[in-house]
Amino acid sequence: AQTVTQSQPEMSVQEAETVTLSCTYDTSESDYYLFWYKQPPSRQMILVIRQEAYKQQNATENRFSVNFQKAAKSFSLKISDSQLGDAAMYFCAYRRGGNNNDMRFGAGTRLTVKP
Amino acid sequence: DVKVTQSSRYLVKRTGEKVFLECVQDMDHENMFWYRQDPGLGLRLIYFSYDVKMKEKGDIPEGYSVSREKKERFSLILESASTNQTSMYLCASSHMTGYRNEQFFGPGTRLTVL
């Protein structure tokens, strides 16, 4: 079974600084997708960024980027120029390729942004 | 604007009560999911449905059942609520096909069983 590990239960960052959230996963599949979801306090979970395993180029979405190391099975999220609105729980998730519906989530990292 | 709604944000029930949690999506998604979110455990899949009247067990189906009579609506049922079912419950939906299909989440229902 695929597992997703987020080793940092909590992280903090100063406003305008950069922070990196770690995620590792375990799989024997070659076709899969990785996601970072954000869950702000008392608000809905939303997708931040996604990465297809077959793509070598790291995904970026404005201030959010990933460092995808396929051989190491690592998928970290970098948030640049952190803003107060970035404070949230962040979940790393894995899904096999094809029409598979099974998405696996890590335990989450709570990010605090200090003004 | 895509939307997944859940019937209640907060719910308090007593042990042994039958509990219904409802989820509605307006995106014509084929797939719908029920997760349970607990601190330190992330999200764990309870059940999912890929079509009307179709369902499959997730990782932790014990003590739960589901119903999907219409495409847009997916209900989670606790037949006899117990205190260890106190948790946050998240509903999600997604398209069946498409390699980029992300899951869209509802706001969650925080259930307390006394």
Side-chain angles (χ1 to χ4, degrees):
Chain A
Q2 295 82 17
T3 59
V4 179
T5 302
Q6 292 179 249
S7 59
Q8 306 153 317
E10 296 184 351
M11 291 282 286
S12 67
V13 63
Q14 206 71 34
E15 195 175 7
E17 297 293 308
T18 295
V19 64
T20 298
L21 308 185
S22 301
C23 174
T24 59
Y25 58 95
D26 182 28
T27 184
S28 57
E29 304 287 336
S30 59
D31 180 22
Y32 56 88
Y33 306 94
L34 297 164
F35 306 82
W36 277 99
Y37 278 88
K38 171 185 178 181
Q39 186 180 42
S42 301
R43 293 179 62 187
Q44 281 170 258
M45 191 167 323
I46 57 172
L47 180 68
V48 174
I49 198 165
R50 80 186 108 207
Q51 174 82 41
E52 293 88 347
Y54 65 85
K55 287 188 176 179
Q56 292 186 343
Q57 188 173 9
N58 289 326
T60 62
E61 290 285 346
N62 301 314
R63 298 183 294 107
F64 298 87
S65 61
V66 298
N67 183 6
F68 174 47
Q69 301 289 326
K70 192 171 184 178
K73 297 180 182 176
S74 171
F75 182 61
S76 60
L77 174 70
K78 186 171 84 171
I79 306 174
S80 304
D81 186 25
S82 297
Q83 301 176 359
L84 295 178
D86 295 334
M89 281 289 288
Y90 286 83
F91 292 96
C92 178
Y94 162 101
R95 185 177 68 80
R96 278 191 295 161
N99 290 334
N100 185 283
N101 298 305
D102 191 10
M103 186 172 281
R104 298 284 165 168
F105 289 83
T109 297
R110 182 174 301 279
L111 178 66
T112 302
V113 181
K114 298 178 180 178
Chain B
D1 197 17
V2 296
K3 187 170 284 187
V4 179
T5 57
Q6 295 182 228
S7 51
S8 304
R9 290 300 301 272
Y10 300 94
L11 208 53
V12 179
K13 296 292 182 180
R14 297 210 173 270
T15 302
E17 281 192 81
K18 190 169 186 176
V19 182
F20 293 87
L21 303 182
E22 294 201 322
C23 175
V24 177
Q25 51 95 4
D26 65 359
M27 296 165 281
D28 201 35
H29 284 165
E30 297 84 5
N31 299 331
M32 295 189 75
F33 308 83
W34 276 106
Y35 292 94
R36 173 174 170 161
Q37 181 182 357
D38 297 290
L41 297 178
L43 278 70
R44 293 178 292 168
L45 183 64
I46 304 172
Y47 269 98
F48 72 91
S49 168
Y50 52 90
D51 200 352
V52 175
K53 297 190 186 295
M54 306 303 289
K55 62 184 179 184
E56 287 200 22
K57 293 180 180 179
D59 296 321
I60 51 166
E62 297 79 17
Y64 304 95
S65 62
V66 290
S67 172
R68 193 168 181 198
E69 298 296 321
K70 293 184 178 181
K71 189 176 184 179
E72 67 272 17
R73 189 179 298 268
F74 191 36
S75 300
L76 179 69
I77 304 155
L78 288 66
E79 294 289 343
S80 178
S82 64
T83 54
N84 62 13
Q85 292 179 310
T86 292
S87 186
M88 171 71 88
Y89 291 88
L90 297 178
C91 175
S93 70
S94 74
H95 278 302
M96 171 72 81
T97 57
Y99 69 92
R100 292 172 65 84
N101 56 344
E102 66 181 273
Q103 292 187 12
F104 293 86
F105 285 84
T109 295
R110 186 167 295 281
L111 172 67
T112 301
V113 182
L114 302 176

